[in-house]
Amino acid sequence: MKHATFEKGVVEMGHGAGGRDMADLIRHLFVTAFDNPDLTGEEDQAILSFPAGRMAISTDAFVVSPMFFPGGDIGALAVNGTVNDVAMGGADPVALSASFILEEGLPLADLARVVGSMAQAARTAGVHIVTGDTKVVERGKGDGIFITTTGFGQVREGVSLSARNGRPGDVVLVSGTLGDHGVAVMGRREGFDFDTNIVSDCAALNGLAGALLDAVPQTRLMRDPTRGGLAAVLNEIAEASRVGIAIREDALPIRPGVAGACEILGLDPLYVANEGKLVAVVPPEQAEIALAALRAHPLGREAAIIGELRADPDHFVEMETAFGGRRMVDWIAGEQLPRIC
Amino acid sequence: MKHATFEKGVVEMGHGAGGRDMADLIRHLFVTAFDNPDLTGEEDQAILSFPAGRMAISTDAFVVSPMFFPGGDIGALAVNGTVNDVAMGGADPVALSASFILEEGLPLADLARVVGSMAQAARTAGVHIVTGDTKVVERGKGDGIFITTTGFGQVREGVSLSARNGRPGDVVLVSGTLGDHGVAVMGRREGFDFDTNIVSDCAALNGLAGALLDAVPQTRLMRDPTRGGLAAVLNEIAEASRVGIAIREDALPIRPGVAGACEILGLDPLYVANEGKLVAVVPPEQAEIALAALRAHPLGREAAIIGELRADPDHFVEMETAFGGRRMVDWIAGEQLPRIC
């Protein structure tokens, strides 16, 4: 019988087999890093008490490659990405589960670094990682680390957000610069040595989203533009709300370095993933209040009003270009970036 | 730009890229199969209303190989496995999230079959799959389908189960035959043509667990002996409850065909995974009531009392063999079966 140990320094099949080696890994790595009263490592489920109300539940698998990139890693992403999906539902995230699929041969040091990032991100976001699971697959049947997180949060009283809520005249805001995450990951993957300012925007948005909802409880919807970028989110909103959307290119906040890197990489920032930005749709009379609320938060300093919803039976998303022309923003156009999150 | 379509019949990178292809896959495959009012395919999170109380949360990644095996597939397993972990916490499972990591080139017919199994298993268990996620990794970076499910359930009033609750004198029951799942999967993987009666026991245990708790609310703990088998569960209980455990080999329900297959495969049924069985620990005066309650349920007809907890500072698990000898049941002994769930 093979007995996996920490001393060998890599993940072995035995670390996922349900025996002592797995118990050791869970206890000495996960439970220690994620330390909180709901996580004992002894039970197959966490038990939490909740008041009556609405609960937001969201899950995402994270397969980003490479697992470490400028500004973050797969661990921080796995926590923040799910915290953000819960927060976009108008909920205050409370707890996360985390499930790992590890490839045999993964250095335990890499796993420990990723787990440490998760713990740090969870602390920053104010959520507990309360339960988890670990599986190991043979070398060549996975790719280092895949993480699935599932998040739970309590939806705020009186708040009801949905992609269907948009109405013609509503205003579209974005909380900051576009494309940072995708360009940072793609740059690292392709081996470009970009400006060190190009780093992922990976961050937990629950604080920013809460600040917006405090200021504008009438917010129609929020969405974080991850895979597929701003273009995908706007098209989803247009379709679900049965409206058109008009945005202005010169209103889009994009760092010059990111714009330049996009040109080199052949990417359009509209389609590039963000991991620390939100798109909000608010009634027109609340737009300036919403903008001020976003800008008052450290993660929203570069927030901008970028366009508005309008009546359109075709549900088109259209952009007025910097040169005064018009361009369709379809969500199937542009490059698709694999494994960006 | 590559435009993935259903017509090509296989999963392509575009199915995970956040664009129209992914939206189509979600709408036409997942939302259709999992049809329920909480799952719209339009939001990044599900919103559910809950009464005040305790909630059990559990997550598991499923990487079983092969993905189809006698008696089930990775889809049924992903639903039942998480339903069971929630149920073992004394909770009635309500909702599941499901997250998919698909390998490029996976036949869409296989995906559809797995998703159909999940939908059927969810209906049988009485739970809704309310939210999900899909990622695609390049050929050779995954292995067909990996699924992570996370389950939520309401813990029953007055019930408080924990691996720490066992006391010397408590009685250990198992709800049915041991080893069926692991032997069915290993047999298929190794290409053996076993007796067609050897099929996975993959099943949702929430009904059986509820019947036990109705009859014996004083139940100390329940556990489903999956990876690591009965041996792992008994050792976890012994350690958490700080007791020893004595079991009797001739009390263990094991199908003759499974016992024979174990000999051929070189496996010990004590260490082989089950996916439709529970281990329960109850106070001694409730043991017969518990046994009757289990046997009265279709999934517990072969339930048995297999041993008891006892004072032991070493927290050993010991088995009286069929020949009257004694054998340690350590959880690091025996074969470890990779990717059995």
Side-chain angles (χ1 to χ4, degrees):
Chain A
M1 196 203 59
K2 226 168 72 173
H3 185 178
T5 62
F6 286 134
E7 284 70 30
K8 291 187 185 170
V10 297
V11 168
E12 301 176 59
M13 295 305 294
H15 282 123
R20 171 72 75 178
D21 297 324
M22 190 176 85
D24 283 350
L25 185 73
I26 290 170
R27 229 170 271 180
H28 296 300
L29 185 60
F30 295 112
V31 174
T32 305
F34 298 154
D35 181 42
N36 68 73
D38 296 314
L39 179 71
T40 65
E42 283 175 358
E43 314 288 348
D44 287 341
Q45 69 292 118
I47 309 281
L48 282 83
S49 289
F50 287 99
R54 291 171 300 155
M55 179 97 65
I57 301 173
S58 188
T59 193
D60 263 346
F62 295 87
V63 299
V64 64
S65 173
M67 73 175 87
F68 300 104
F69 49 81
D73 61 33
I74 192 171
L77 202 60
V79 169
N80 291 331
T82 290
V83 161
N84 292 350
D85 279 342
V86 170
M88 295 304 99
D92 293 309
V94 173
L96 293 183
S97 67
S99 145
F100 297 81
I101 299 173
L102 307 178
E103 185 189 10
E104 181 187 22
L106 173 77
L108 282 169
D110 286 352
L111 178 60
R113 187 174 157 197
V114 166
V115 167
S117 286
M118 294 180 74
Q120 179 59 48
R123 276 192 295 273
T124 303
V127 300
H128 282 169
I129 296 171
V130 297
T131 191
D133 183 48
T134 307
K135 293 291 192 305
V136 180
V137 296
E138 303 87 345
R139 211 181 284 265
K141 300 293 186 180
D143 194 15
I145 305 183
F146 300 147
I147 306 174
T148 294
T149 49
T150 307
F152 327 93
Q154 291 172 265
V155 182
R156 294 179 166 217
E157 287 279 341
V159 167
S160 183
L161 308 178
S162 164
R164 297 185 182 183
N165 285 355
R167 304 176 199 173
D170 284 351
V171 170
V172 182
L173 298 98
V174 64
S175 65
T177 56
L178 296 171
D180 304 54
H181 173 75
V183 167
V185 172
M186 288 302 288
R188 172 59 53 93
R189 196 187 298 169
E190 303 294 331
F192 283 98
D193 188 20
F194 288 139
D195 183 339
T196 51
N197 290 326
I198 300 183
V199 297
S200 170
D201 56 344
C202 182
L205 293 170
N206 48 334
L208 181 67
L212 174 61
L213 292 176
D214 285 343
V216 183
Q218 311 93 324
T219 296
R220 309 277 199 213
L221 67 97
M222 296 187 289
R223 206 75 177 239
D224 56 335
T226 56
R227 269 185 293 181
L230 180 67
V233 160
L234 294 181
N235 275 283
E236 286 162 14
I237 294 169
E239 196 159 297
S241 288
R242 311 187 65 74
V243 296
I245 300 180
I247 60 172
R248 287 174 299 282
E249 186 171 27
D250 60 12
L252 299 177
I254 300 173
R255 289 186 209 286
V258 168
C262 275
E263 284 191 22
I264 293 168
L265 292 165
L267 301 175
D268 180 335
L270 286 176
Y271 295 89
V272 175
N274 310 275
E275 291 290 344
K277 299 292 153 42
L278 64 81
V279 171
V281 174
V282 303
E285 63 278 11
Q286 306 287 332
E288 289 298 330
I289 301 169
L291 183 64
L294 291 173
R295 286 191 173 164
H297 190 279
L299 291 176
R301 284 202 196 102
E302 293 164 291
I305 290 173
I306 62 167
E308 52 280 322
L309 276 49
R310 57 186 184 181
D312 176 0
D314 293 321
H315 315 149
F316 285 151
V317 178
E318 210 174 48
M319 183 166 76
E320 185 183 316
T321 68
F323 306 104
R326 290 188 178 283
R327 176 192 140 187
M328 292 291 302
V329 182
D330 198 348
W331 60 358
I332 61 167
E335 283 298 324
Q336 291 174 331
L337 305 184
R339 300 187 57 187
I340 207 70
C341 60
Chain B
M1 196 203 56
K2 225 168 73 172
H3 186 178
T5 61
F6 286 133
E7 284 70 28
K8 291 188 185 170
V10 297
V11 168
E12 301 176 56
M13 295 306 294
H15 283 123
R20 172 71 75 178
D21 296 324
M22 191 176 83
D24 284 349
L25 186 72
I26 290 169
R27 229 170 271 180
H28 296 301
L29 184 60
F30 296 111
V31 175
T32 305
F34 298 153
D35 181 42
N36 68 72
D38 296 313
L39 178 72
T40 65
E42 282 175 357
E43 314 288 347
D44 286 341
Q45 67 294 117
I47 309 281
L48 283 82
S49 290
F50 287 98
R54 291 172 299 156
M55 179 100 63
I57 302 173
S58 187
T59 193
D60 262 345
F62 295 87
V63 300
V64 64
S65 173
M67 72 175 88
F68 301 104
F69 48 80
D73 61 32
I74 192 171
L77 202 60
V79 169
N80 290 331
T82 290
V83 161
N84 293 349
D85 279 342
V86 170
M88 296 303 99
D92 293 310
V94 173
L96 293 183
S97 67
S99 146
F100 297 81
I101 299 173
L102 307 177
E103 185 188 11
E104 180 186 23
L106 173 76
L108 282 169
D110 286 350
L111 178 59
R113 186 174 158 199
V114 166
V115 167
S117 286
M118 294 180 76
Q120 179 58 48
R123 275 193 295 274
T124 303
V127 300
H128 283 168
I129 296 171
V130 297
T131 192
D133 183 47
T134 306
K135 294 290 191 306
V136 180
V137 296
E138 303 87 344
R139 212 180 284 262
K141 300 293 186 180
D143 194 15
I145 306 182
F146 300 147
I147 306 173
T148 294
T149 49
T150 306
F152 323 92
Q154 292 172 265
V155 182
R156 293 179 167 216
E157 288 278 342
V159 167
S160 183
L161 308 178
S162 164
R164 297 185 183 183
N165 284 354
R167 303 176 201 172
D170 284 351
V171 170
V172 183
L173 299 98
V174 65
S175 65
T177 56
L178 296 172
D180 304 55
H181 173 74
V183 167
V185 173
M186 288 302 289
R188 172 59 54 92
R189 196 188 298 169
E190 303 296 330
F192 283 97
D193 189 19
F194 288 140
D195 183 340
T196 52
N197 289 325
I198 300 183
V199 297
S200 170
D201 56 342
C202 182
L205 293 170
N206 47 335
L208 180 67
L212 174 61
L213 292 175
D214 285 343
V216 184
Q218 310 93 324
T219 296
R220 309 278 198 211
L221 67 96
M222 294 186 290
R223 206 75 177 240
D224 57 336
T226 57
R227 269 185 294 181
L230 179 67
V233 160
L234 295 181
N235 275 283
E236 285 163 15
I237 294 169
E239 196 159 298
S241 287
R242 311 187 64 73
V243 296
I245 300 180
I247 60 172
R248 287 173 299 281
E249 187 171 26
D250 60 12
L252 299 177
I254 300 174
R255 288 186 210 286
V258 168
C262 276
E263 284 191 23
I264 293 167
L265 292 164
L267 301 175
D268 180 336
L270 285 176
Y271 295 90
V272 175
N274 311 276
E275 291 290 345
K277 299 292 153 42
L278 65 80
V279 171
V281 174
V282 302
E285 62 278 11
Q286 306 286 331
E288 289 299 330
I289 301 170
L291 183 64
L294 291 173
R295 286 192 173 165
H297 190 280
L299 291 176
R301 284 202 197 102
E302 292 164 290
I305 290 173
I306 61 167
E308 53 279 321
L309 276 49
R310 57 185 183 182
D312 176 359
D314 294 320
H315 315 148
F316 285 151
V317 178
E318 209 174 47
M319 183 165 75
E320 184 183 317
T321 67
F323 307 104
R326 291 188 179 281
R327 178 192 138 187
M328 292 291 301
V329 182
D330 197 348
W331 61 359
I332 61 169
E335 283 297 323
Q336 291 174 329
L337 306 184
R339 299 185 59 187
I340 206 70
C341 61

